[in-house]
């Protein structure tokens, strides 16, 4: 047992570390425009964490003296539910929230949460790169937000404190969800009870039994250790997790044309590198879960079809909000 004064010092140090931006931050000099980039996931070994770190490193080296990026990972600055409000107040200049968070600004963003809409990450990229994807990105501009691009993660898997093989196995269980009406309807369609919780609260909620299960990508499940407090995962690939790289129009318009152009160029490069590595990152997270003693169950085609049949009716509930034209356009990339 540590003496009390040492415990106090340890607590103070860990609080200071938790509040510090990520090590990818340069020491911003006075005169440089500082961009605080806030996100909620691990700083490395994760598609978004790695993209944010790479973006900061590139800006801090290539635009040194003009622009400086400080990355705040692991919800150390804001959680995803708060970050866009903070951005509109000018307290943070960039964030990469899950697109589930964008429904507050445009209901058409609900498309990204529809279960079994996208076959794989590549079909998501094709949709995001299409005219419809670009128009969707622009649809938040009248709310004071500018989506500079999309960052990838991957397909979502289910987990619970009991094996999930058929949709009936989920019945009666409490599942943590992001704050999304579509995800709520998805679990209600399984006769389960969805609970909206911030990402930083998920591990504790699973551990203490506040919720029984959750859905997320392998990279999130591994880096946040959710698998350690679950019976196992089911490789359902039932949905996707992808991000919007967002800034405020006010901040963006305060930059010079050259700064905006340079940031866009670096962002495009980092995004393409992130797409190239996101699949491998999730695969290696899956392997790490298994080698750490976690269970990953795969489904036969018939078993997976049962999940599709149970969850697919959710589309009809949201087709007016999203627009059936947009749903058709997005599904065309998975045919
Ligand atoms: C994230 O990947 O940014 C978090 C997603 C979640 O809240 O599950």
């Amino acid at each position: 047992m540590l003496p009390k004064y040492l415990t106090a010092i340890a607590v103070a140090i860990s609080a200071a570390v938790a509040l510090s931006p990520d090590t990818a931050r340069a020491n911003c000099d006075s005169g440089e425009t500082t961009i605080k980039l806030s996100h909620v996931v691990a700083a490395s070994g994760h598609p978004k964490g790695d993209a944010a770190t790479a973006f900061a490193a590139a800006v801090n080296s290539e635009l040194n003296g003009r622009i400086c990026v400080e990355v705040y990972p692991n919800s150390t600055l804001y959680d995803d539910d708060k970050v866009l409000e903070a951005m509109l107040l000018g307290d943070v200049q960039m964030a990469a929230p899950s697109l589930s968070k964008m429904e507050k600004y445009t209901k058409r963003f609900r498309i990204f949460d529809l279960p079994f809409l996208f076959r794989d990450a590549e079909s998501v990229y094709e949709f995001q790169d299409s005219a419809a994807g670009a128009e969707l990105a622009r649809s938040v501009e009248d709310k004071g937000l500018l989506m500079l691009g999309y960052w990838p993660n991957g397909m979502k898997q289910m987990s619970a404190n009991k094996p999930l093989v058929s949709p009936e196995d989920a019945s009666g269980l409490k599942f943590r969800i992001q704050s999304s009406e579509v995800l709520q309807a998805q679990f209600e369609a399984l006769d389960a009870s969805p609970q909206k919780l911030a990402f930083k609260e998920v591990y504790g909620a699973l551990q203490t039994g506040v919720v029984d299960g959750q859905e997320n990508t392998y990279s999130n499940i591994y880096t946040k250790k959710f698998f350690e407090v679950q019976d196992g995962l089911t490789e359902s690939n039932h949905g996707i997790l992808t991000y919007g790289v967002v800034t405020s129009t006010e901040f963006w318009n305060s930059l010079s044309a050259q700064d905006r152009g340079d940031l866009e160029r670096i962002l495009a490069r980092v995004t393409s590198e992130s797409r190239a590595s996101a699949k491998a990152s999730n695969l290696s997270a899956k392997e790490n879960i298994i080698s750490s003693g976690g269970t990953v169950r795969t489904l036969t085609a018939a078993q997976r079809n049962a999940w599709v049949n149970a969850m697919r009716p959710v589309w009809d509930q949201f087709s007016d909000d999203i627009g059936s034209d947009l749903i058709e356009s997005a599904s065309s990339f998975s045919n």
Side-chain angles (χ1 to χ4, degrees):
M1 177 108 165
L2 283 175
K4 261 192 187 151
Y5 77 94
L6 278 182
T7 310
I9 291 171
V11 168
I13 290 173
S14 67
V17 168
L19 286 172
S20 300
D22 184 52
T23 46
R25 151 192 75 132
N27 290 320
C28 294
D29 298 323
S30 64
E32 287 182 319
T33 299
T34 300
I35 297 179
K36 288 185 185 167
L37 196 174
S38 169
H39 69 80
V40 299
V41 302
S44 63
H46 183 287
K48 178 163 66 178
D50 288 336
T53 302
F55 177 73
V59 171
N60 294 345
S61 127
E62 293 170 40
L63 309 185
N64 187 24
R66 286 162 51 201
I67 304 185
C68 175
V69 178
E70 292 179 344
V71 182
Y72 293 81
N74 290 312
S75 313
T76 44
L77 198 55
Y78 293 104
D79 70 35
D80 274 352
D81 290 323
K82 306 268 159 51
V83 75
L84 295 177
E85 287 160 33
M87 183 172 284
L88 290 170
L89 292 171
D91 294 335
V92 60
Q93 290 70 40
M94 274 180 86
S98 153
L99 291 176
S100 311
K101 304 286 153 44
M102 303 306 293
E103 69 167 6
K104 225 157 86 181
Y105 299 91
T106 310
K107 286 189 182 152
R108 282 163 77 80
F109 270 102
R110 291 185 164 158
I111 192 158
F112 289 102
D113 282 339
L114 290 182
F116 296 107
L117 173 63
F118 295 103
R119 187 186 42 215
D120 51 24
E122 285 67 32
S123 51
V124 179
Y125 304 155
E126 284 181 45
F127 172 62
Q128 290 174 336
D129 291 345
S130 71
E135 193 205 322
L136 191 56
R138 284 195 299 271
S139 68
V140 288
E141 280 177 34
D142 61 347
K143 310 287 184 320
L145 297 172
L146 193 68
M147 194 176 290
L148 297 169
Y150 293 103
W151 273 353
N153 188 326
M155 304 303 288
K156 288 187 289 187
Q157 322 301 342
M158 299 258 187
S159 74
N161 54 10
K162 60 177 264 201
L164 297 173
V165 179
S166 75
E168 290 74 31
D169 295 329
S171 171
L173 299 186
K174 289 188 279 235
F175 281 87
R176 177 271 170 170
I177 57 164
Q178 300 182 64
S179 50
S180 148
E181 296 301 300
V182 179
L183 299 180
Q184 175 161 337
Q186 170 189 285
F187 281 102
E188 283 168 355
L190 299 172
D191 280 327
S193 164
Q195 313 282 325
K196 293 178 181 170
L197 289 175
F199 187 59
K200 65 181 178 204
E201 293 166 346
V202 181
Y203 181 89
L206 292 170
Q207 189 184 37
T208 56
V210 167
V211 292
D212 304 300
Q214 61 86 48
E215 53 155 27
N216 227 309
T217 57
Y218 281 121
S219 52
N220 273 340
I221 294 171
Y222 177 65
T223 53
K224 292 297 175 186
K225 303 187 191 308
F226 300 159
F227 70 98
E228 290 183 358
V229 285
Q230 293 280 263
D231 167 82
L233 278 64
T234 299
E235 190 165 78
S236 48
N237 288 320
H238 63 280
I240 56 110
L241 176 59
T242 176
Y243 308 109
V245 185
V246 184
T247 186
S248 74
T249 43
E250 191 179 345
F251 172 71
W252 194 247
N253 293 336
S254 74
L255 299 175
S256 69
Q258 185 178 356
D259 286 348
R260 291 198 296 263
D262 285 342
L263 287 169
E264 278 169 349
R265 174 179 52 76
I266 292 171
L267 184 63
R269 193 178 72 220
V270 168
T271 301
S272 124
E273 287 163 4
S274 180
R275 281 184 176 183
S277 61
K279 202 174 195 166
S281 178
N282 276 300
L283 193 58
S284 112
K286 173 183 173 181
E287 283 160 4
N288 286 335
I289 289 170
I290 295 169
S291 64
S292 308
T295 300
V296 175
R297 298 185 175 90
T298 48
L299 298 172
T300 64
Q303 285 166 338
R304 189 165 187 274
N305 261 338
W307 288 88
V308 175
N309 292 337
M311 290 156 81
R312 176 71 172 65
V314 165
W315 291 22
D316 297 335
Q317 280 174 256
F318 294 94
S319 62
D320 285 348
D321 288 344
I322 296 169
S324 25
D325 54 329
L326 198 62
I327 299 180
E328 254 170 53
S329 157
S331 1
S332 70
F333 297 104
S334 295
N335 294 332

